[in-house]
Amino acid sequence: MKKFVLSLTMLPMLAMGQTLDECQQAAEKNYPLIRQYGLIEKTTELTVANIQKGWLPQVSAQAQATYQSDVTAWPDEMKMMMNGMGIDMKGLTKDQYRVGIDVQQTIYDGGVIGSQKAIAREQGKVQAAQNEVNIYHVRKRVNEMYFSLLLIDEQIKLNVDLQTLLAGNESKLESMTKHGTAAESDLQNVKAERLNVVQKATELASQRQMLQRMLSTFCGMEVKEVRKPVLSVAEVLQQTGRRPELKALDAQIDLLNAQERALNAALIPKVGVFAQGFYGYPGLNMFEDMMHRKWSLNGIVGARVTWNIGALYTRKNDKAKLQLQRDMTENSREVFLFNNNLEQIQQNENMARYRQLMARDGEIIALRQAVRKAAESKLAHGIIDVNDLVREINQENVARVQQSVHEIEMLKEIYDNKYTTNN
């Protein structure tokens, strides 16, 4: 019962049709790229988590067996002296074995891990910003289909009115033909014109179906009807938006700054502790191993300070490369703003032109309508022929079509301007 009541409440909304904003929001949510946001976020989280593990102890296990050409040994004089004392000094064997574990723990890395995490996060922001740019372009495609559908609907309405007007004149001529006041060819002329308009209606209906299906597929919902947008003057004049392309360029600058901070971190000395343990022969007690030749457990612990001055060799060039990339990014910003400004100039000029055209459309239609009615009266009195009437009917229809085109194109320019300025 609740579902039934809900369906009834939605019927007026469906009858009114979808607005352009509703279609744009639906299209953005339906566009496959929207799933990239979640994938980018998860990838960034995994990358940062892996980098963070750099603070965990680094453990490595190793086993080795070697055979040496020579080993540490007692001098012959000392060996003879030991033998004289009854001590058998065998010395080390040339085959040696070791199984061990090395453990290293970073205590201070100079900010390397932190800078790596910052770079990973900024890379994720760059990818998300670029994805936002791609999704933002969806609005432009929705605008094209939406206003094309609006224009087709207006043409269909005018086509119906034209059919009605021609059918009325056809009925009058049919009566006049029966009474001998009009020729059969006049009736056939108007009828043929009406059938041409019917054919045009078929073409318009086919075009509308194609556009409606395309827009519905793009939005991920069935769009049966569309509503003509109504904008206030304040909305048209607003130009305070910010395009996602500029945010993407800002994200690239932030990434370059993070990479420069990583260069600085690479120059700072690192502090860590380590531990090494192994079981093998020979061990650390060389004298004991010379006498007994047996495997033993051995271990070393200590602290280490390292400073890789090799980063100095390429630092100047690396910073120069980053600055060049900044310059290229800023140049891309200037190019985008330049082209965006040209688009706004063109759109503002188009809107001004359509305002001027629309100011005369009503007057032209009124005049054409008056001329057409006069032509109908003249035809009834035999002053003009049917060709003159058909011409005036078509002229009035052209004026009405032009009014609809100007109005829809004006609305399209306004929304294109909103897209250009991101308002």
Side-chain angles (χ1 to χ4, degrees):
M1 183 64 183
K2 290 182 179 180
K3 292 182 179 179
F4 179 71
V5 174
L6 181 61
S7 300
L8 289 179
T9 59
M10 291 180 65
L11 284 177
M13 297 177 61
L14 293 174
M16 294 174 63
Q18 278 77 31
T19 65
L20 178 57
D21 290 338
E22 290 171 347
C23 288
Q24 287 180 343
Q25 293 172 9
E28 289 180 1
K29 293 178 181 178
N30 181 61
Y31 204 58
L33 275 178
I34 196 69
R35 293 191 291 272
Q36 288 281 1
Y37 283 118
L39 298 175
I40 292 171
E41 183 179 358
K42 290 179 181 178
T43 302
T44 302
E45 289 176 355
L46 291 173
T47 302
V48 171
N50 285 341
I51 295 173
Q52 181 66 26
K53 287 179 171 57
W55 288 111
L56 296 177
Q58 305 299 308
V59 181
S60 61
Q62 59 180 356
Q64 68 178 36
T66 61
Y67 183 84
Q68 302 179 191
S69 62
D70 203 353
V71 295
T72 304
W74 291 103
D76 292 339
E77 293 80 1
M78 187 172 290
K79 190 174 181 181
M80 290 175 61
M81 183 178 67
M82 291 291 184
N83 289 334
M85 297 171 59
I87 300 174
D88 184 12
M89 189 62 65
K90 299 178 180 179
L92 297 177
T93 61
K94 292 184 178 181
D95 54 319
Q96 299 183 3
Y97 308 91
R98 175 179 295 191
V99 178
I101 294 177
D102 289 347
V103 180
Q104 300 186 37
Q105 173 64 57
T106 300
I107 297 177
Y108 175 71
D109 70 343
V112 171
I113 292 178
S115 61
Q116 289 176 348
K117 290 194 296 183
I119 290 174
R121 291 192 179 98
E122 295 301 334
Q123 287 174 336
K125 291 179 182 178
V126 169
Q127 293 176 353
Q130 186 57 51
N131 195 61
E132 184 179 354
V133 171
N134 295 333
I135 292 178
Y136 185 77
H137 292 168
V138 170
R139 297 188 187 182
K140 183 73 170 179
R141 299 174 66 181
V142 172
N143 282 358
E144 296 290 340
M145 290 183 282
Y146 192 93
F147 286 105
S148 295
L149 193 55
L150 269 179
L151 186 58
I152 289 290
D153 285 343
E154 290 295 323
Q155 290 178 346
I156 289 175
K157 291 176 185 177
L158 293 175
N159 183 278
V160 172
D161 294 340
L162 182 58
Q163 287 187 50
T164 302
L165 183 59
L166 287 170
N169 281 279
E170 186 179 342
S171 298
K172 292 178 184 178
L173 283 170
E174 188 174 3
S175 176
M176 292 172 65
T177 302
K178 289 180 180 179
H179 292 85
T181 57
E184 182 70 24
S185 60
D186 293 338
L187 174 61
Q188 292 172 347
N189 192 349
V190 174
K191 185 176 182 180
E193 189 66 25
R194 180 179 61 81
L195 292 177
N196 285 335
V197 176
V198 171
Q199 280 187 332
K200 181 65 176 179
T202 302
E203 294 178 2
L204 291 172
S206 177
Q207 293 176 17
R208 189 193 188 283
Q209 182 179 8
M210 176 191 67
L211 284 169
Q212 184 262 336
R213 291 181 63 184
M214 288 176 61
L215 185 58
S216 298
T217 302
F218 210 77
C219 296
M221 64 178 184
E222 187 173 6
V223 181
K224 292 184 177 179
E225 301 291 336
V226 291
R227 279 188 274 172
K228 188 183 298 184
V230 179
L231 292 176
S232 64
V233 177
E235 287 180 295
V236 177
L237 297 178
Q238 240 183 7
Q239 292 189 5
T240 57
R242 192 159 185 266
R243 287 284 292 265
E245 289 87 346
L246 297 176
K247 297 179 182 178
L249 293 172
D250 288 341
Q252 292 179 11
I253 293 293
D254 292 340
L255 174 59
L256 294 173
N257 293 337
Q259 290 173 339
E260 185 171 16
R261 289 191 292 271
L263 291 179
N264 297 331
L267 288 175
I268 300 176
K270 281 70 175 174
V271 180
V273 294
F274 65 92
Q276 297 176 351
F278 67 92
Y279 179 67
Y281 172 85
L284 298 177
N285 190 339
M286 193 70 66
F287 293 106
E288 182 70 21
D289 293 332
M290 285 182 177
M291 297 177 62
H292 300 292
R293 293 186 177 178
K294 62 180 181 179
W295 287 37
S296 60
L297 287 172
N298 303 268
I300 301 174
V301 295
R304 181 184 293 123
V305 177
T306 58
W307 184 22
N308 181 15
I309 62 173
L312 289 170
Y313 303 155
T314 59
R315 176 179 173 79
K316 182 178 179 180
N317 289 341
D318 289 339
K319 294 194 71 171
K321 285 171 58 179
L322 291 176
Q323 186 57 47
L324 288 174
Q325 291 177 16
R326 285 194 191 92
D327 294 340
M328 292 172 62
T329 303
E330 292 300 334
N331 181 256
S332 298
R333 188 195 306 276
E334 293 175 5
V335 170
F336 175 80
L337 291 174
F338 181 83
N339 292 332
N340 188 267
N341 184 54
L342 287 180
E343 288 182 15
Q344 292 184 49
I345 292 174
Q346 182 180 8
Q347 290 160 358
N348 289 331
E349 290 297 324
N350 287 338
M351 285 188 284
R353 176 166 57 88
Y354 285 126
R355 287 193 189 97
Q356 294 176 358
L357 293 174
M358 291 169 64
R360 298 294 183 185
D361 280 334
E363 183 180 357
I364 294 173
I365 290 174
L367 292 173
R368 287 295 180 187
Q369 186 177 23
V371 172
R372 185 260 304 168
K373 289 181 178 180
E376 290 176 338
S377 176
K378 290 178 181 179
L379 179 67
H381 292 84
I383 300 176
I384 61 173
D385 60 20
V386 72
N387 289 324
D388 294 327
L389 174 61
V390 170
R391 183 177 63 252
E392 298 304 334
I393 290 175
N394 287 331
Q395 289 290 344
E396 180 186 354
N397 180 67
V398 168
R400 294 184 183 278
V401 170
Q402 286 298 318
Q403 183 186 43
S404 297
V405 169
H406 293 160
E407 184 180 3
I408 299 300
E409 289 294 334
M410 175 68 174
L411 287 171
K412 184 177 181 300
E413 287 294 334
I414 291 173
Y415 269 88
D416 283 346
N417 184 259
K418 286 168 67 69
Y419 168 84
T420 301
T421 58
N422 193 22
N423 284 321

